[in-house]
Amino acid sequence: MKTQLDSLSEFFRQNVPERAQLGFDSLLDEMQLVAAAKDIGLEQYRLSVIRYNALISWERFPYRLCAPQLLIALLEVWLDEHADG
């Protein structure tokens, strides 16, 4: 199952110069299972939701190869495209 973090990481990898991806990593932290029972129709039920903190990091950010502002712009684009609602 592909998580939102997987999707965001893939989006960064597609849009950040390859040389600037050295040392890039993403991981889940502080995962919680929250009870959230809901009837979603057709005799299907959601019983819980997984909440987590996402961490996107570079060992040493290559600011000479990739402006930090590009990452913020990419994050805003990704959030706009994946907005709930």
Side-chain angles (χ1 to χ4, degrees), residues 18-71:
E18 188 173 338
R19 287 182 48 207
Q21 294 179 30
L22 296 175
F24 172 74
D25 195 13
S26 61
L27 57 102
L28 302 178
D29 190 27
E30 298 183 25
M31 190 180 301
Q32 300 174 351
L33 190 61
V34 179
K38 181 178 181 181
D39 182 349
I40 57 176
L42 299 175
E43 297 183 23
Q44 297 181 36
Y45 299 90
R46 179 185 73 199
L47 300 177
S48 60
V49 174
I50 297 174
R51 293 193 181 267
Y52 57 85
N53 292 325
L55 176 65
I56 302 223
S57 68
W58 271 262
E59 186 174 313
R60 292 178 55 119
F61 186 75
Y63 63 91
R64 290 186 178 111
L65 296 173
C66 179
Q69 295 87 339
L70 173 63
L71 298 180

